[in-house]
């Protein structure tokens, strides 16, 4: 489809990421090996990876202008990482390149039978430290930025960037994949959070998934919304009300979540979203938040088209970055992000299938 027929790109489309980049060695196998087995791969691909690298690549293909702060070594992996990001339109001028050590890399085993992937990661060394990012570079990286995204890695440097971004009132999106050193400090600055399925309960120690969402918004007063990605089950989002909604009816958050799940249309193959009205949401022993609950579905990908789920969560985040810059409401943002993630699952590797904004599968969302 011609880009002329699409809506104009967001006016404020510069985003800054800070986090992990790597090289992925992806091997597809007929089925995952047993201990001491020797098997052959059915296909092999080497390409860039890492959460922040993948999300930034996704954002670039959708039309944003991403910058990225990270670190590589001056080795073949590092050079390949930079070249690939630059080819996709990601600004790597704020990278630190070490003359010693090694760049990050990951072995990814893609199981064709179960449609799952197993990752074996080797971190880069030496790690990125705050002293390597000068104040002038930091200020240049943040100049004109509409949004900052952290994947939770390089936490000491990320915190320095977050503090300066907060000082400049730049919105901050934090990925909470799992509990990591320094993540609590980053979340204190978060405007938006995108979490894995297990994170909210693990982090809050709340008795249920739904009450954990209430707990997160209560513990993080700057947080406008939290999204939890659930793979093929879609996603759930809790958004804090802007005006407080003092006249809203009070309802148990678990009951509301169950009622929304009952009315979602499972017959549709494309991603959809249903939402509650603005409500006082309560959780026993936790507290009350006034806001809206959203349930998003994932695309039902035909088994013959599903190749690899590597990087699906990163693609979702990249699409959310675009949606926020474009001012999409949640009812449009969640299906759009789900569609972008699903499109990427139709090819081997985190980046191979990432769509351009001209992709016909995205037209109805844009």
């Amino acid at each position: 489809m011609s880009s002329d027929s699409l809506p104009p790109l967001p006016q404020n489309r510069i985003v800054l990421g800070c986090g992990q980049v790597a090289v992925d060695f992806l091997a597809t196998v007929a089925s995952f090996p047993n201990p001491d087995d020797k098997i052959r791969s059915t296909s092999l691909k080497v390409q860039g990876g890492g959460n922040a690298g993948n999300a930034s690549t996704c954002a670039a293909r959708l039309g944003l202008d991403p910058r990225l702060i990270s670190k590589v070594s001056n080795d073949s992996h590092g050079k390949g990482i930079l070249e690939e990001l630059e080819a996709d339109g990601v600004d790597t001028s704020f990278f630190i390149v070490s003359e010693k050590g090694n760049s990050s890399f990951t072995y990814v085993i893609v199981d064709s039978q179960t449609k799952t992937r197993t990752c074996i990661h080797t971190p880069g060394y030496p790690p990125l430290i705050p002293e390597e990012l000068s104040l002038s570079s930091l200020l240049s990286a943040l100049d004109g930025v509409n949004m900052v995204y952290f994947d939770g890695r390089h936490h000491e440097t990320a915190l320095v960037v977050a503090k300066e971004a907060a000082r400049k009132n730049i919105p901050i999106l934090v990925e909470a994949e799992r509990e990591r050193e320094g993540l609590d400090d980053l979340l204190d600055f978060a405007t938006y959070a995108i979490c894995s399925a297990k994170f909210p309960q693990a982090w809050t120690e709340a008795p249920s998934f739904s009450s954990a969402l209430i707990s997160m918004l209560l513990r993080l007063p700057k947080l406008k919304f939290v999204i939890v990605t659930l793979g093929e089950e879609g996603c759930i989002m809790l958004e804090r009300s802007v005006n407080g909604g003092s006249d809203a009816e009070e309802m148990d958050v678990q009951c509301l979540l169950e009622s929304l799940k009952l009315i979602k249309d499972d017959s549709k193959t494309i991603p959809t979203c249903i939402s509650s009205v603005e409500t006082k949401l309560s959780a026993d022993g936790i507290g009350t938040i006034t806001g809206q609950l959203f349930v998003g579905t994932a695309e039902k990908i035909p088994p013959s088209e599903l190749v690899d789920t590597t990087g699906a969560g990163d693609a979702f985040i990249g699409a959310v970055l675009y949606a926020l810059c474009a001012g999409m409401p949640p009812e449009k943002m969640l299906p759009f992000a789900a569609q972008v993630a699903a499109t990427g699952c139709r090819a081997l590797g985190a980046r191979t299938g990432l769509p351009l904004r001209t992709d016909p599968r995205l037209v109805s969302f844009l």
Side-chain angles (χ1 to χ4, degrees), residues 81-337:
I81 288 169
L82 295 176
E83 289 171 1
E84 190 173 337
L85 288 169
E86 289 162 3
D88 263 309
V90 179
D91 183 346
T92 65
S93 60
F94 302 101
F95 266 64
I96 305 300
V97 180
S98 172
E99 291 301 321
K100 299 180 180 180
N102 64 277
S103 300
S104 300
F105 61 94
T106 305
Y107 296 117
V108 184
I109 303 172
V110 181
D111 186 337
S112 298
Q113 186 177 67
T114 61
K115 306 294 185 180
T116 57
R117 85 286 186 274
T118 302
C119 301
I120 306 168
H121 180 65
T122 300
Y125 184 85
L128 178 62
I129 57 175
E131 291 76 14
E132 292 177 299
L133 182 66
S134 68
L135 179 60
S136 61
S137 291
L138 172 58
L139 295 177
S140 295
L142 287 170
D143 184 44
V145 163
N146 189 50
M147 182 96 46
V148 179
Y149 152 64
F150 301 100
D151 69 5
R153 274 75 164 197
H154 305 309
H155 65 277
E156 293 177 333
T157 304
L159 188 59
V160 171
V161 178
K163 287 178 178 178
E164 187 61 27
R167 195 181 70 81
K168 293 177 175 291
N169 295 314
I170 301 172
I172 293 171
L173 188 154
V174 175
E175 175 186 0
E177 190 177 35
R178 59 183 175 85
E179 294 185 82
R180 301 181 188 277
E181 186 177 0
L183 181 59
D184 286 16
D185 295 328
L186 273 182
L187 284 170
D188 285 336
F189 289 95
T191 317
Y192 314 103
I194 299 181
C195 309
S196 63
K198 295 179 180 178
F199 180 83
Q201 269 188 273
W203 189 69
T204 64
E205 298 182 347
S208 67
F209 171 83
S210 56
S211 63
L213 300 185
I214 299 286
S215 181
M216 283 192 71
L217 287 187
L218 289 172
R219 288 179 60 177
L220 301 170
K222 296 178 183 176
L223 201 62
K224 292 184 177 180
F225 70 60
V226 56
I227 298 174
V228 182
T229 56
L230 304 170
E232 64 183 12
E233 297 299 317
C235 64
I236 293 170
M237 171 176 163
L238 179 58
E239 182 179 42
R240 189 193 307 270
S241 173
V242 176
N243 56 26
S246 57
D247 297 329
E249 179 185 354
E250 185 168 324
M251 188 171 185
D252 179 78
V253 66
Q254 183 61 36
C255 292
L256 180 58
L257 179 58
E258 293 303 324
S259 67
L260 289 177
K261 287 181 177 179
L262 286 174
I263 62 175
K264 71 176 181 178
D265 189 351
D266 289 324
S267 66
K268 292 187 177 180
T269 58
I270 63 170
T272 60
C273 178
I274 56 174
S275 66
S276 71
V277 296
E278 188 176 279
T279 309
K280 282 184 180 177
L281 298 164
S282 63
D284 286 345
I286 303 293
T288 303
I289 281 287
T290 302
Q292 278 185 279
L293 197 61
F294 300 83
V295 175
T297 65
E299 182 188 1
K300 291 182 172 60
I301 306 174
S304 60
E305 296 181 22
L306 179 59
V307 176
D308 179 19
T309 59
T310 301
D314 305 332
F316 186 96
I317 289 173
V320 168
L321 287 171
Y322 177 90
L324 289 170
C325 289
M328 286 187 190
E331 295 89 345
K332 188 175 180 181
M333 174 178 71
L334 297 181
F336 170 70

Side-chain angles (χ1 to χ4, degrees), residues 11-34:
Q11 185 175 0
N12 300 316
R13 57 179 184 268
I14 303 176
V15 294
L16 174 64
C18 178
Q20 179 179 274
V21 295
V23 172
D24 287 351
F25 295 87
L26 299 120
T28 303
V29 297
S31 61
F32 196 83
N34 294 314

Side-chain angles (χ1 to χ4, degrees), residues 39-52:
I39 62 172
R40 291 189 177 185
S41 62
T42 56
S43 62
L44 176 68
K45 180 176 284 292
V46 181
Q47 70 173 192
N51 295 35

